[in-house]
Amino acid sequence: MRLDKFVCKSTELTRKEAVQYIHAGEVCINGEVVTIEATQVHENNTVLLNGGRLIPRDFRYIMMNKPAGTVCSNIDEVYPSLFNFLDIEKASELHIAGRLDADTTGLVLITDDGRWSFNITLPTNGCCKAYRVQLSRAISKESSQDLIAQFKKGLKLQGEQGLTRPAKLDIITPKEVLLTITEGKFHQVKRMFSAVGNRVVGLHREQIGEVFLDLEVGQWRYLSKNEVESFNNN
């Protein structure tokens, strides 16, 4: 964790105030004065501010059912931030582990633990994300097996060099499918169906790793210990 963030997470200081203390030489790591706010603090480090040891607050791990027409940002943009639904102190310290488009609904994970969210978003960790997809064009019985094979092999997306990682496509009805992927390229699900001549008209994420969405739209809850630790096993 960056030193300025560590100071903020251990005190009531703002980021600006924390940087001022660091630049003034008031912060030590393992007995040495550090004046660069981007310095990385590790778990076994001892950090002092004006001689007092800093102990960071516990990390937070949250699930939310994202409504349509909201953005995965800490501030309002063209659309309102989903953080408007999150009644919690120091929400500005939190970030989304795997964002969704404004018109996409469903499961988002929110945390202030950067290492934990990295485990979720790093493609090579193979963390699955399952999406329920509504399509504009029906998938015929004749083409269904070929389409499943294409997604399993990987698709060439416009503007990309290689293929997508293997994906699992389950056809529920001719116009509704369940797609499971292990990466998160820009607009990936929409681009994958565009690559096979179809168009996504509805998109809802219902699973990340071993965690399934179990909330009504706009609701949130803290993850259980087992849910949190399931991502550290990737």
Side-chain angles (χ1 to χ4, degrees):
M1 185 187 302
R2 283 174 55 111
L3 178 57
D4 52 355
K5 184 177 180 181
F6 185 92
V7 173
C8 289
K9 192 165 179 57
S10 307
T11 67
E12 298 301 318
L13 296 174
T14 65
R15 181 67 66 89
K16 181 179 180 180
E17 291 169 338
V19 171
Q20 289 174 341
Y21 276 102
I22 294 168
H23 287 178
E26 303 292 345
V27 179
C28 295
I29 300 179
N30 296 335
E32 296 186 7
V33 173
V34 178
T35 58
I36 301 173
E37 64 269 25
T39 302
Q40 291 294 311
V41 178
H42 303 283
E43 293 177 355
N44 60 346
N45 292 160
T46 299
V47 182
L48 305 181
L49 172 62
N50 287 329
R53 183 168 184 179
L54 298 183
I55 305 296
R57 292 180 288 277
D58 290 338
F59 288 120
R60 295 171 288 178
Y61 308 93
I62 296 167
M63 169 199 294
M64 179 183 285
N65 187 346
K66 176 188 174 297
T70 59
V71 291
C72 291
S73 170
N74 294 68
I75 58 174
D76 293 336
E77 298 177 0
V78 176
Y79 295 96
S81 166
L82 62 78
F83 279 78
N84 292 326
F85 294 86
L86 192 62
D87 182 20
I88 190 171
E89 292 184 357
K90 297 187 179 296
S92 62
E93 296 181 358
L94 300 165
H95 63 271
I96 309 293
R99 297 186 172 197
L100 295 177
D101 300 336
D103 59 348
T104 302
T105 62
L107 174 58
V108 292
L109 298 178
I110 305 170
T111 186
D112 48 7
D113 185 346
R115 179 182 298 178
W116 184 80
S117 61
F118 185 73
N119 285 339
I120 296 170
T121 57
L122 185 66
T124 53
N125 278 351
C127 180
C128 68
K129 292 92 176 175
Y131 296 83
R132 191 167 294 269
V133 188
Q134 309 296 329
L135 301 169
S136 63
R137 294 180 57 190
I139 299 171
S140 67
K141 289 185 178 180
E142 295 75 19
S143 65
S144 60
Q145 292 305 310
D146 180 60
L147 194 63
I148 290 171
Q150 288 184 63
F151 276 79
K152 184 177 181 180
K153 179 181 178 181
L155 298 170
K156 181 73 166 61
L157 304 183
Q158 185 175 7
E160 300 282 345
Q161 292 287 335
L163 300 178
T164 58
R165 296 174 67 86
K168 184 175 184 289
L169 182 67
D170 294 299
I171 299 175
I172 301 168
T173 72
K175 286 191 174 183
E176 182 180 5
V177 302
L178 187 67
L179 177 66
T180 304
I181 61 177
T182 58
E183 55 190 340
K185 298 179 183 292
F186 181 70
H187 293 321
Q188 179 167 342
V189 175
K190 296 174 182 177
R191 292 166 68 201
M192 290 177 81
F193 283 98
S194 177
V196 295
N198 213 322
R199 183 169 64 88
V200 173
V201 296
L203 188 56
H204 178 81
R205 185 162 65 192
E206 55 186 38
Q207 178 187 357
I208 301 177
E210 298 176 17
V211 173
F212 292 83
L213 183 64
D214 58 7
L215 299 171
E216 297 297 323
V217 175
Q219 290 187 340
W220 65 274
R221 68 170 175 83
Y222 289 102
L223 296 182
S224 69
K225 181 179 179 180
N226 286 340
E227 288 173 328
V228 173
E229 291 182 349
S230 69
F231 294 104
N232 295 326
N233 297 325
N234 289 330

